[in-house]
């Protein structure tokens, strides 16, 4: 980045340090990943210079012939990847993908039924400070206290009582496979529409490891940067009957010009996920999560629901007398990045909850497998046990930097 270095050394320096952090540490944030060099290159192209309000073939600006090609490729590829009738690849993020669906089917004041943020849901599923909680009337379901699985009896009871216009499935911190068909049954019974927010596990759906919501949901929303391993962005899939209204909700409803460099990077990501090696990547993410969960369980940590069958696990660190915030900071000092997180029925507060969330998508991208998860698990347990022992955390940090040299980050090295 020679020009950046000369023009703005402060930004150049911060980017270099972040690159170093990403390379030398163990990245275990469940919603993060490493993109390929091709995705990075697409995101850094001259397409950032172009306005393209509208859709391919129907733009409000001249000179759109090449960005039309890009957006059409992105739409075709993501439709093929997930077997969807219609795709909109313009949402800048997962939040905007969700907002676009709400704008398509809801009026202010309408009732939505979604997973409670405190049980693993997302901000845009009706949290009181989020637009979704201010504009609409959210009702929340959660997980059962005994096994931490989605309480479908509660989902059905709440749906019958409140008659929501839209039921939302999908979560940000739920370690189990979600039964989309069961949500579809409830939605059908009460005459609601179903939206599945598959942002976290889109890569697992693409790789055939998690059941697909596309055939049973009216709308499927997602980000492209988690298990799907693309640029930081969003998209929506839906049935043809909703296509026109959805497209209108995205533009001009909630967005102006699409970020065409990011649409290009999404097209590259979808192309990569269509390649024959992607299912093996998705399978390995899940195998790695299971392997890591076993190590953590055997080390005395409690896991929400007792384990995982997707890319993430939720660890209750109060079982070893820590809080989520203390655990996150200790792991950070050892070069291990996770995030503190509320766990179901948490008695603590969001800024210092009982849990940490751990995901395996990024380390799997670096080529780590179950054997490596044993070492990663040992470092996590060691750092948690020595949370206030600076010398030990520093030693782990050095060992991890050495270890990660054997697992180059795609696009960085
Ligand atoms: N904030 C994201 C996560 O970390 O799960 C979800 O959008």
């Amino acid at each position: 980045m020679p020009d950046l270095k000369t023009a703005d050394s402060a930004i150049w320096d911060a980017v270099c340090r972040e690159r170093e952090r990403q390379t030398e540490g163990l990245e275990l944030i469940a919603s993060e990943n490493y993109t390929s060099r091709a995705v990075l290159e697409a995101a850094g192209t001259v397409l950032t210079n172009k306005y393209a309000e509208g859709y391919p073939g129907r733009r409000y600006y001249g000179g759109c012939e090449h960005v039309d090609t890009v957006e059409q490729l992105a739409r075709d590829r993501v439709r093929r990847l997930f077997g969807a009738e219609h795709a909109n690849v313009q949402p800048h993020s997962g939040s905007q993908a969700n907002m676009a669906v709400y704008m398509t089917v809801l009026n202010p004041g309408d009732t939505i039924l979604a997973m409670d943020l405190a049980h693993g849901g997302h901000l845009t599923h009706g949290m009181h400070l989020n637009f979704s909680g201010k504009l609409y009337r959210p009702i929340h379901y959660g997980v059962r206290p005994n096994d931490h699985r989605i309480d479908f009896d509660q989902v059905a009871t709440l749906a019958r009582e409140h008659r929501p216009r839209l039921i939302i499935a999908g979560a940000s911190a739920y370690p189990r496979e979600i039964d989309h068909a069961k949500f579809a049954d409830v939605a059908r019974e009460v005459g609601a529409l179903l939206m599945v927010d598959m942002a976290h596990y889109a890569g697992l759906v693409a790789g055939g490891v998690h059941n697909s919501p596309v055939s049973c949901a009216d709308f499927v929303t997602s980000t492209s940067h988690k298990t799907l391993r693309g640029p930081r962005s969003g998209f929506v899939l839906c049935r043809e009957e909703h296509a026109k209204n959805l497209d209108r909700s995205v533009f001009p409803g909630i967005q102006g010009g699409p970020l065409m460099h990011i649409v290009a990077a999404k097209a590259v990501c979808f192309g990569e996920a269509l390649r024959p090696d992607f299912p093996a990547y998705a399978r390995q993410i899940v195998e790695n999560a299971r392997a890591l969960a076993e190590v953590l369980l055997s080390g005395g940590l409690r896991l929400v629901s007792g384990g995982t069958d997707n890319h993430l696990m939720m660890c209750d660190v109060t079982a070893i007398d820590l809080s989520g915030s203390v655990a996150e900071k200790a792991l950070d000092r050892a070069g291990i990045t996770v995030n503190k997180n509320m766990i179901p029925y948490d008695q603590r507060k969001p800024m210092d909850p009982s849990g940490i969330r751990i995901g395996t998508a990024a380390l799997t991208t670096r080529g780590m497998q179950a054997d490596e998860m044993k070492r990663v698990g040992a470092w996590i347990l060691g750092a948690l046990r020595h949370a206030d022992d600076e010398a030990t955390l520093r030693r782990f940090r050095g060992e991890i930097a050495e270890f990660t040299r054997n697992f180059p980050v795609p696009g960085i090295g």
Side-chain angles (χ1 to χ4, degrees), residues 29 31 122 172 200 223 225-226 339 357:
I29 290 184
S31 48
H122 187 252
S172 293
H200 261 266
T223 53
H225 51 273
K226 299 183 174 93
N339 66 282
R357 187 182 63 163

Side-chain angles (χ1 to χ4, degrees), residues 46-68:
V46 295
L47 271 56
T48 193
N49 297 334
K50 189 72 195 98
Y51 252 119
E53 284 180 7
Y55 290 98
R58 287 171 60 86
R59 303 282 191 187
Y60 291 85
Y61 291 80
C64 284
E65 58 273 29
H66 306 301
V67 292
D68 274 5

